[in-house]
Amino acid sequence: MHLIVAPVLVPAVLAALMLLRPARLTRLGQRLSILAMLAQLAIAVALIVLSADGEVRVYELGSWPAPYGIVLVLDRLAALMLLLASVLGLAVLAHAVLTRHDQQGWHFHPLFQFQMLGLNGAFLTGDLFNLFVFFEVLLIASYGLLLHGQGAARLQAGVQYVVVNLVGSTIFLVAIGVLYGTTGTLNFADMALRVSTAPPEEQALIRAGAQILIAVFALKAALLPLHLWLPRAYASTSAPVAALFAILTKVGVYSIIRVTTLVFGEEAGAAAWAPAGWLLPAALLSVLVGFVGLLAARELRLGAAFGVIGSTGTLMVAASVFTPETTAAALFYLPHSTLAAALLFLVADLVLRRRGERQDRLEPGPSMPGAGLLAVLFLLSAIALAGLPPLSGFVGKLLILASVADNPAAWWIWGTILVTTFLAILALARAGSVLFWTRDDAPPHRERVRAAVHAPRLAAPALMLVAALGALTVFAGPATAYTRAAADQLHSRTAYITAVLPDSGVRR
Amino acid sequence: MILLLTCMLPFLGALAVALAARTGRNTQAILAGAATSAALVLILLQAPQVLAGTTSAFAMPWVPALGLEASLFMDPLGLMFAGLILGIGILIITYARFYLAAEDSMPRFLTFLMLFQGAMLGIVLSDNVLLLLIFWELTSLSSFLLIGFWSHKAEGRQGARMALAVTGGGGLALIAGLLILGRVAGSYNLTDILLAGLVIQGSPLYTPALVLILVGCFAKSAQFPFHFWLPRAMAAPTPVSAYLHSATMVKAGVFLLARLWPVLSGTELWFYLVATTGMVTMFVGAAIALFKDDLKALLAYSTVSHLGLLTMLLGFGTPMAAVVAVFHILNHATFKAALFMNAGIVDHEVGTRDVRRLGGLVHLMPIATTIAVVAGLSMAGLPPFNGFISKEMMLEEAGRTVWAELTWLIPLVATLAALLSAAYSFRYVSHVFFGPRRHDYPRAPHDPGAGLWGPPAVLAALVVLIGFFPATIAGPLVQPVAAAVIGAEPPYFALKMWHGFTPALFMSVLAVAGGAAVLWRHGEAVRMWQRVPVPDAKRAFDAVVAALVGASRVVTDTLHTGTLQRSLFVLFAATFLLAVEGLSVGGLGGATRAGIPASGVAVAAWLALVAGAVAVVVSARQRFLALIYISVIGLIVSLGFVYLSAPDLALTQISVEVVTILLLLLALNLLPKTPQPTSSRLRRARDAVLAGIVGAGVGWLALAVMTRAPRDPISAFHWAQAKPGGGGTNVVNVTLVDFRGFDTFGEIIVLGIAALAIYALLKTAVRGVAGRRLLAWVPETPESPERHPMMLVVASRLVLPIALVVGLFLFLRGHNLPGGGFIAGLVFSIALLVQFMASGYAWADARKRLERHTLIAGGVLVAAATGLGSLAFGAPFLTSTFEYITWPLVGQFELASALLFDVGVSLAVVGAVLLALGQLANLMQRAARLEVDAEPMDIDPTRGAGAVR
């Protein structure tokens, strides 16, 4: 039973242990970090297996029952998110260690593990204020990682990232204040019950609180027009960190799905499905602007950053319809979108390491050593990001298209997704053609790239992500069955609520 | 199962070739050839049953939620295409083995080719349309790689991108079309869809589905106006062209038209869309082909024209036309693949593909000439070759079809197209191989080895054999395939050379004679042609793409200026609007809670608070001043907490205030004292308005929430349970360390991370640009000669023990009275901060015993260990316990496990504050180029008042 709290404790304790020896980087720290990631992966797998029986499991921290204490809640969605985070984390960590990116600044590994702690905690918690705390952990750790390795552009984009997100946190607090003031509780399940029985004179405030809260989550999900902070921040940080950040927008998506289905769903009175009205247009615009940005990008990493916006938008399109079918489609596309974006960032990192001064700018360069493997990886990441077969994105897109077919806005959704897929194909074909096909051996190519960066083993983490995407494709049947079950669990919320609040009695 | 294996074989072959990249070319070609041959054998083994009417099938669930199944089936139509794909595949592999130059990578080529072959095979064998879509897009992707194989050539890259954009883009329309089709039919399995013709044609969604599917098919099969990608794809190596444009890639669209013929055809919409497009494409392709001097371009446009012919036949919607289409698919594949390979031979041996530089090769290359004559005349539609028969049948059907009551239109266009087709075929044969022998060939031409001429010769032999014995050789295939296309028994037809004196024969004769005449006057025709304004498709495509990229750049650059102001403006505006939307829906009651009367002191404090906030805004550009005002606000907020009976909050607020202001003072010292304004006056006015609105909105929200009576809040439980359940009478502290200890655990980690981030940031900031700027730093204000004022040093030393005792006191009583680990940690920090400030960093630092990192880590670990302790007793993480023990002298004393947790909190707070301080001080020292001051209370006479260095 204590396994549920392990995803939070393992990174916390191991990160703290790494800090006991405050050297810049120790072999021990590296090993502890990898150990922590492996442990988290194992725990996540165990939790997936545990959650597969459909039971919602509750962990009462401090033995205080909900709603008075904080509870962690493990359902299928939470387990899925934990698994995704640990798979992504492991690949990114391996990439950072292999490329020696972790040596380029201070405290990479503790910050990395704290970041994982924030992610895991956000996915598990069943309490609104505790979610805020984990958002803070996420934000501060990500800020540290964002700046890791320095650079003026990184610093400038980083300032914007942290200021905008701190303002977001403040707004989060306002939303919590409004919702606590009107419902008198912070526990999700309890809040769900209290919102559905709220007297009419409270309903306007509750709806306002819901809208403000979801706006904060939309900011995290980089939904238009709240996406402005993302492109520069992701493009100017180091690629492995950006790869890890591919999941940060999904924390926003996760929170939107969780809170809306549980608290502001069908029975929420005036607040019922309050965000749905504006989320769908915002998501459609995100898809469009994201993939337009991908086409416009002059650097691969900036393109990937816009790809994150577009692909998260695609996911949000399905997530903002709020039917079991669409939620299931969204939950299938969610891991794909995360891993695909991360893969593109890792590939971008491998590319720019081989191109000297040209970095990842989309302009012809001299032939790259080991370009064959890299070209294959780029092709696969492009296929994944554009959502083409044979990788899971195609299945995901088909699921999304099929699931929204009965929606009144179906034509808009179909049109947007298919047209933007075309834009993505165009953009990625151009990028690949310039990077891998066009040669320009003329100077300036003075910089000699160190031999170590050519080693094919550096591509292993990227290949691991490819394998994960491949597995998601081959096992799309079981995976969609799982996400469908997860979506059903979300949409029939009684199981969650009765698990968290078995009765209204008081303990001790 | 055999079907699955068949479908997998090309992919396995691709894998084998890729793995054998280090072996020789022969090995690789044999591997690829073996995989293809094995697949072909498996197909042929099943052929008798399939042609007899038993379709072979395989089905495996894949994604049931989507209706996507890995289901394959092979009926005669699939069989014919699979045979063509694999049969011609073997020939192409053989040909490519000898065609590719030494510098071309054979394993790469064959891997792509086998991937493409597998994808093609998947299309024709898929039973599930979603599976078909997967293979469909795979052909687009793999053909992209094949067309761009010679990536050093710009036209190769452009051609590849164009092909991908058009065929892949068309595939996206097809996705939509097939999804609609499947939803209407209730299944995505072709076998079910093919039975649902009535439902489909009766559905209001028939039109969108049809249009979308047709866009996909037309794009793939290079129908006008999507035809332009096909000639550009000729930049590929010739084996690729021969494969893609005879039997495979471009036939995929025709295949799908044939596949869905039973359910989609027969309506007016189908006829006008498909037949018209086909007719136009047939004519346009043939016309352009006549004027192309590049052999491959000539063949490319000829392919476009023949694809148009096939599309037109399928568009007629009559069973007989479908029969002809099936027959012509077979014939076209044979002669066109042979001709492409033949053009490749010419290119390979002579060194040019330009018709104007060729001629008279008959004496030098007799074998190639023979192949060209056979295949070329078949393409022209001359007897006794197979092309003649299917063309005759086509003309026959065209003669019977009426387009919008214009009886003459289709026969006329078909005859004209046949005429042009004859003309360019004659040109191919006569201008290249006949005529006077030249002396300026780029290379000395001679027939190639059997590896190159063998494959086209096999096909040429088929051209002749089918021509002579159509009913014997092609008949047994065409009959069942046509039945599969029509979905019923086909009408009676006879495949034979001589049909008697029919109108078709007359049209045919006209076409051949006319074709010869046109070729005779080719020069004049070219001059005429040059006066016809033909839009350049490539330029148009490039312009569209460039416009798309340009527009997307304008949009992207306009939206994303990267300014912080814009990000914040949008965030505030959006949140405000959403909140207003929320408030406008649903009921909103008034205040339900009695207010507290405001005392004079409270009003005065409130006014000071407002004034402080205004002062911060006004003095925002004088940073030190602003900081002072901020501290005023903090102070009044703490007083407010005291006034409202929240001593813990007041203590926390004030100690946090002291620590942050101290650290900010240190940081500000290095920053310019008066930053330049970054926004225009108008912008600032706009921002001020928004800020005012949002501020008022938040104020109103706070008021609205505070003036309503709480509805049974959970805090009531906390009040009630603090003592009996948590063992403390200070409900704030019990909440922090017990009820919501998990939050606190998270927050001390946040604090620790913040300190680590500051440390990591500043540790490396001394390098690079930032480091250079730091070294160039000049203090803007005069400095005191006393680096460490004696008064301050003495006072701070006296304060230290007192402060520590106070901190300890606050810590110990925290569980029951105002205080606690967090506040105590802050008090300790302040006491130490003052030491650093008064006596200098180095002096104080030398006296610390513990690493600051260790403090943070220790804090987190102690807190975690306390929480984990409860696991030993089978209780969840952070479960607390407490015991009352009686100490001598002290009396009864409570010992709570939460106290240990609080130790962790204190440690983390002290560590975080000191870590941040240490790094800032370090930076300061560097910037001021101070030598380390080991001695406190020193005086530096060089630093006179006003002597700014």
Side-chain angles (χ1 to χ4, degrees):
Chain A
M1 212 56 233
H2 296 299
L3 203 60
I4 297 177
V5 76
V8 177
L9 287 180
V10 167
V13 169
L14 287 178
L17 284 178
M18 290 172 215
L19 283 173
L20 284 177
R21 273 184 62 199
R24 180 167 170 144
L25 179 91
T26 58
R27 186 58 58 87
L28 181 71
Q30 260 184 1
R31 284 184 187 157
L32 281 178
S33 197
I34 292 168
L35 177 75
M37 241 12 274
L38 288 172
Q40 285 169 69
L41 182 61
I43 293 164
V45 170
L47 290 178
I48 276 265
V49 172
L50 199 63
S51 75
D53 64 359
E55 195 187 325
V56 178
R57 289 175 172 78
V58 177
Y59 189 83
E60 293 175 343
L61 288 153
S63 302
W64 294 105
Y68 308 109
I70 298 169
V71 290
L72 300 182
V73 184
L74 177 79
D75 62 353
R76 290 195 178 101
L77 174 60
L80 173 70
M81 298 304 292
L82 289 173
L83 183 65
L84 173 65
S86 58
V87 168
L88 177 69
L90 187 60
V92 172
L93 184 68
H95 184 92
V97 169
L98 285 173
T99 56
R100 299 185 194 163
H101 178 70
D102 57 344
Q103 303 179 9
Q104 280 165 10
W106 281 77
H107 298 321
F108 181 85
H109 292 290
L111 288 172
F112 190 94
Q113 290 305 329
F114 283 135
Q115 176 89 74
M116 293 308 300
L117 162 105
L119 289 169
N120 295 344
F123 298 143
L124 278 171
T125 188
D127 184 284
L128 188 58
F129 189 80
N130 196 235
L131 182 66
F132 170 79
V133 170
F134 283 114
F135 267 42
E136 289 304 284
V137 175
L138 273 178
L139 172 63
I140 301 294
S142 67
Y143 186 52
L145 287 174
L146 185 79
L147 297 177
H148 182 77
Q150 294 294 314
R154 204 166 283 184
L155 210 56
Q156 206 178 1
V159 166
Q160 191 172 141
Y161 171 84
V162 81
V163 170
V164 170
N165 279 291
L166 279 177
V167 171
S169 299
T170 314
I171 298 176
F172 195 163
L173 278 180
V174 170
I176 293 178
V178 171
L179 288 172
Y180 180 70
T182 46
T183 63
T185 190
L186 291 169
N187 180 279
F188 286 148
D190 195 31
M191 195 179 278
L193 288 181
R194 292 185 186 211
V195 163
S196 53
T197 58
E201 65 269 19
E202 302 280 344
Q203 301 217 345
L205 270 178
I206 291 178
R207 186 173 169 106
Q211 297 286 37
I212 300 174
L213 185 66
I214 303 296
V216 175
F217 297 154
L219 175 77
K220 298 282 171 189
L223 218 55
L224 233 72
L226 304 176
H227 70 293
L228 292 171
W229 56 273
L230 188 141
R232 273 292 147 204
Y234 279 35
S236 53
T237 187
S238 64
V241 170
L244 181 67
F245 284 10
I247 200 174
L248 287 192
T249 54
K250 275 58 175 191
V251 180
V253 177
Y254 162 84
S255 307
I256 291 175
I257 295 178
R258 170 71 79 203
V259 170
T260 309
T261 54
L262 183 56
V263 184
F264 305 115
E266 203 57 53
E267 290 150 53
W273 306 121
W278 57 273
L279 279 177
L280 184 60
L284 287 173
L285 277 178
S286 308
V287 185
L288 200 60
V289 167
F291 287 114
V292 162
L294 175 60
L295 184 62
R298 296 167 178 92
E299 300 127 54
L300 191 52
R301 281 182 300 165
L302 190 59
F306 277 106
V308 169
I309 294 175
S311 128
T312 309
T314 310
L315 161 63
M316 269 314 300
V317 166
S320 56
V321 178
F322 296 113
T323 64
E325 295 80 28
T326 51
T327 306
L331 293 184
F332 180 81
Y333 196 70
L334 189 149
H336 167 83
S337 152
T338 312
L339 298 177
L343 175 62
L344 188 55
F345 274 115
L346 290 192
V347 173
D349 192 44
L350 295 174
V351 168
L352 74 88
R353 279 167 189 280
R354 286 170 166 81
R355 280 168 52 98
E357 290 168 356
R358 286 187 175 87
Q359 295 242 326
D360 60 338
R361 281 197 299 278
L362 295 178
E363 57 189 35
S367 60
M368 284 178 272
L373 176 64
L374 216 49
V376 171
L377 278 173
F378 176 80
L379 178 73
L380 290 170
S381 66
I383 287 173
L385 189 67
L388 293 181
L391 292 177
S392 41
F394 189 69
V395 178
K397 278 197 174 170
L398 285 182
L399 273 169
I400 292 177
L401 294 179
S403 70
V404 301
D406 296 327
N407 192 278
W411 287 110
W412 284 100
I413 299 174
W414 282 36
T416 310
I417 289 183
L418 292 173
V419 166
T420 52
T421 305
F422 179 69
L423 292 182
I425 295 175
L426 217 55
L428 292 164
R430 282 166 59 90
S433 164
V434 166
L435 286 176
F436 296 101
W437 280 355
T438 319
R439 297 270 167 78
D440 174 15
D441 290 301
H445 181 56
R446 282 168 284 139
E447 224 167 293
R448 283 273 150 248
V449 197
R450 275 181 297 128
V453 306
H454 298 164
R457 72 191 157 86
L458 294 198
L463 285 170
M464 182 182 145
L465 289 182
V466 171
L469 287 172
L472 197 56
T473 316
V474 173
F475 301 109
T480 47
Y482 185 90
T483 60
R484 179 58 204 245
D488 286 341
Q489 210 174 30
L490 288 171
H491 282 270
S492 63
R493 51 183 202 157
T494 34
Y496 186 102
I497 292 176
T498 47
V500 175
L501 304 166
D503 51 53
S504 52
V506 176
R507 73 150 206 178
R508 291 194 190 176
Chain B
M1 205 65 208
I2 297 177
L3 221 44
L4 180 70
L5 181 64
T6 317
C7 212
M8 294 300 293
L9 268 170
F11 293 111
L12 295 176
L15 188 67
V17 173
L19 291 177
R22 288 180 199 285
T23 61
R25 301 188 138 212
N26 285 332
T27 319
Q28 291 148 7
I30 288 169
L31 278 173
T36 313
S37 313
L40 185 62
V41 167
L42 288 178
I43 293 281
L44 292 179
L45 282 177
Q46 296 170 78
Q49 296 108 291
V50 171
L51 292 178
T54 332
T55 54
S56 132
F58 167 83
M60 192 174 71
W62 186 3
V63 191
L66 186 59
L68 168 60
E69 278 181 35
S71 56
L72 305 167
F73 84 124
M74 186 162 70
D75 69 343
L77 180 64
L79 174 80
M80 178 177 85
F81 269 93
L84 284 175
I85 291 162
L86 295 169
I88 297 186
I90 295 172
L91 299 178
I92 294 291
I93 290 166
T94 318
Y95 182 82
R97 159 66 190 85
F98 297 98
Y99 183 86
L100 285 188
E103 63 266 24
D104 294 328
S105 165
M106 183 66 82
R108 197 151 66 91
F109 181 86
L110 286 176
T111 307
F112 295 164
L113 194 78
M114 295 304 286
L115 283 178
F116 174 79
Q117 189 185 73
M120 247 350 267
L121 204 57
I123 289 184
V124 301
L125 295 183
S126 289
D127 185 8
N128 188 286
V129 289
L130 300 180
L131 185 69
L132 184 145
L133 275 175
I134 290 179
F135 287 119
W136 185 279
E137 292 294 59
L138 274 183
T139 58
S140 298
L141 286 167
S142 49
S143 65
F144 170 75
L145 298 173
L146 281 172
I147 296 168
F149 182 73
W150 279 332
S151 57
H152 53 275
K153 293 187 179 170
E155 59 265 37
R157 300 194 295 266
Q158 285 163 2
R161 286 210 304 270
M162 196 190 276
L164 179 66
V166 176
T167 63
L172 297 174
L174 187 65
I175 291 176
L178 288 181
L179 275 176
I180 297 175
L181 190 71
R183 289 182 68 81
V184 172
S187 161
Y188 290 113
N189 278 349
L190 267 171
T191 28
D192 299 331
I193 292 176
L194 290 178
L195 295 175
L198 282 177
V199 182
I200 290 167
Q201 297 199 357
S203 160
L205 290 172
Y206 169 73
T207 307
L210 177 66
V211 170
L212 289 164
I213 291 172
L214 288 182
V215 167
C217 292
F218 289 172
K220 198 83 167 181
S221 280
Q223 295 299 296
F224 185 85
F226 303 111
H227 65 286
F228 55 91
W229 70 265
L230 194 150
R232 302 286 153 196
M234 290 301 137
T238 301
V240 174
S241 314
Y243 200 34
L244 264 59
H245 304 140
S246 62
T248 55
M249 173 90 164
V250 295
K251 289 279 171 67
V254 173
F255 167 80
L256 194 58
L257 290 179
R259 184 85 278 175
L260 296 174
W261 195 89
V263 290
L264 293 182
S265 78
T267 62
E268 286 228 326
L269 189 66
W270 167 274
F271 173 77
Y272 284 108
L273 284 177
V274 182
T276 314
T277 307
M279 186 174 70
V280 172
T281 311
M282 175 175 72
F283 178 76
V284 169
I288 302 178
L290 182 59
F291 303 103
K292 286 291 162 189
D293 294 321
D294 179 358
L295 286 185
K296 278 179 77 177
L298 186 157
L299 291 176
Y301 280 104
S302 141
T303 304
V304 170
S305 171
H306 279 270
L307 290 167
L309 187 159
L310 292 169
T311 305
M312 182 183 77
L313 282 171
L314 290 169
F316 286 169
T318 59
M320 196 56 206
V323 172
V324 182
V326 166
F327 188 37
H328 194 68
I329 287 172
L330 196 63
N331 294 339
H332 178 250
T334 52
F335 66 70
K336 190 51 69 65
L339 281 173
F340 266 116
M341 289 194 255
N342 184 257
I345 291 174
V346 170
D347 189 17
H348 203 256
E349 301 305 326
V350 187
T352 181
R353 300 194 307 247
D354 192 331
V355 180
R356 289 165 302 182
R357 299 194 58 193
L358 292 164
L361 292 177
V362 62
H363 309 289
L364 301 163
M365 304 171 74
I367 300 176
T369 307
T370 314
I371 294 167
V373 167
V374 169
L377 294 185
S378 176
M379 178 160 78
L382 278 186
F385 306 112
N386 60 1
F388 169 75
I389 309 174
S390 49
K391 188 197 65 179
E392 283 272 299
M393 295 169 80
M394 179 276 282
L395 290 172
E396 179 81 28
E397 286 311 300
R400 288 188 197 150
T401 312
V402 179
W403 196 90
E405 296 178 19
L406 301 175
T407 43
W408 48 269
L409 182 72
I410 290 181
L412 177 74
V413 175
T415 313
L416 275 177
L419 182 152
L420 292 167
S421 174
Y424 67 67
S425 305
F426 293 152
R427 181 159 185 250
Y428 182 97
V429 175
S430 68
H431 284 199
V432 174
F433 296 97
F434 297 96
R437 193 168 153 184
R438 304 172 67 126
H439 302 284
D440 57 348
Y441 302 119
R443 282 184 215 145
H446 56 79
D447 263 325
L452 283 185
W453 67 253
V458 170
L459 292 168
L462 271 175
V463 167
V464 178
L465 283 173
I466 297 176
F468 278 112
F469 313 106
T472 323
I473 296 182
L477 188 61
V478 172
Q479 170 83 21
V481 173
V485 170
I486 298 162
E489 206 47 35
Y492 171 77
F493 62 91
L495 300 180
K496 55 187 180 190
M497 197 90 77
W498 179 248
H499 281 265
F501 291 99
T502 56
L505 183 68
F506 168 69
M507 287 151 85
S508 195
V509 169
L510 202 68
V512 170
V518 167
L519 187 63
W520 178 44
R521 314 293 287 195
H522 189 254
E524 283 161 45
V526 168
R527 278 187 291 281
M528 262 172 61
W529 174 253
Q530 278 162 349
R531 284 198 293 275
V532 182
V534 181
D536 184 356
K538 178 191 184 304
R539 206 170 301 153
F541 178 84
D542 286 351
V544 168
V545 172
L548 264 180
V549 173
S552 61
R553 285 200 170 147
V554 170
V555 169
T556 306
D557 294 349
T558 317
L559 280 179
H560 309 91
T561 47
T563 63
L564 178 59
Q565 281 88 342
R566 178 175 289 194
S567 296
L568 290 180
F569 188 90
V570 172
L571 173 57
F572 282 126
T575 314
F576 179 77
L577 291 176
L578 285 174
V580 169
E581 191 275 344
L583 288 171
S584 64
V585 180
L588 181 63
T592 56
R593 192 181 190 186
I596 308 170
S599 67
V601 181
V603 172
W606 179 77
L607 284 175
L609 188 66
V610 173
V614 171
V616 170
V617 174
V618 171
S619 63
R621 281 171 51 206
Q622 288 153 291
R623 286 172 168 161
F624 272 113
L625 203 56
L627 194 58
I628 304 287
Y629 290 132
I630 289 175
S631 68
V632 169
I633 295 174
L635 199 64
I636 296 174
V637 169
S638 334
L639 287 175
F641 284 137
V642 172
Y643 183 77
L644 296 171
S645 329
D648 277 278
L649 298 193
L651 272 174
T652 313
Q653 176 70 30
I654 201 147
S655 42
V656 165
E657 201 66 26
V658 171
V659 172
T660 43
I661 297 286
L662 284 178
L663 289 178
L664 273 173
L665 277 173
L666 274 175
L668 277 189
N669 199 22
L670 288 172
L671 294 177
K673 299 297 172 287
T674 45
Q676 294 301 309
T678 49
S679 312
S680 67
R681 196 171 279 274
L682 195 69
R683 264 262 194 84
R684 275 186 289 160
R686 182 199 73 179
D687 293 349
V689 169
L690 181 71
I693 292 174
V694 172
V698 172
W700 183 87
L701 267 182
L703 187 72
V705 169
M706 283 190 292
T707 52
R708 55 197 59 223
R711 281 203 302 141
D712 178 30
I714 52 170
S715 55
F717 173 90
H718 297 154
W719 280 106
Q721 284 294 320
K723 181 70 179 168
T729 52
N730 179 358
V731 70
V732 173
N733 184 265
V734 177
T735 306
L736 282 177
V737 298
D738 201 340
F739 294 128
R740 301 192 67 92
F742 198 55
D743 278 344
T744 311
F745 183 62
E747 287 296 356
I748 62 171
I749 291 176
V750 170
L751 211 57
I753 306 170
L756 290 181
I758 293 173
Y759 182 82
L761 171 64
L762 297 183
K763 192 81 185 173
T764 34
V766 294
R767 294 190 318 231
V769 185
R772 279 195 291 283
R773 206 163 41 218
L774 205 59
L775 284 178
W777 180 76
V778 176
E780 289 179 33
T781 45
E783 295 180 309
S784 158
E786 280 186 286
R787 284 177 63 183
H788 304 292
M790 191 181 298
M791 291 285 282
L792 185 59
V793 174
V794 172
S796 69
R797 306 247 171 115
L798 276 176
V799 162
L800 178 65
I802 299 170
L804 291 182
V805 169
V806 170
L808 203 62
F809 173 68
L810 286 172
F811 177 82
L812 285 174
R813 69 179 214 148
H815 216 45
N816 293 308
L817 292 164
F822 191 73
I823 299 169
L826 286 168
V827 171
F828 292 140
S829 307
I830 295 167
L832 295 171
L833 263 180
V834 172
Q835 300 308 309
F836 281 92
M837 290 186 78
S839 305
Y841 182 75
W843 181 87
D845 197 48
R847 280 155 184 81
K848 75 168 171 25
R849 294 278 171 84
L850 274 174
E851 273 297 333
R852 291 164 305 234
H853 290 86
T854 319
L855 280 177
I856 298 177
V860 173
L861 286 175
V862 168
T866 312
L868 284 169
S870 54
L871 264 56
F873 301 95
F877 184 64
L878 282 178
T879 303
S880 67
T881 178
F882 54 90
E883 203 58 63
Y884 293 93
I885 51 167
T886 309
W887 281 8
L889 294 178
V890 181
Q892 199 195 40
F893 190 84
E894 185 199 346
L895 210 57
S897 68
L899 200 66
L900 200 59
F901 183 79
D902 237 4
V903 170
V905 174
S906 287
L907 283 177
V909 169
V910 173
V913 171
L914 292 187
L915 190 61
L917 165 79
Q919 233 18 64
L920 277 169
N922 199 334
L923 209 62
M924 193 62 216
Q925 202 154 32
R926 249 171 209 274
R929 290 176 292 273
L930 294 178
E931 58 285 10
V932 176
D933 45 352
E935 285 299 311
M937 294 184 250
D938 56 341
I939 292 175
D940 181 357
T942 60
R943 309 204 319 176
V948 177
R949 285 184 300 166

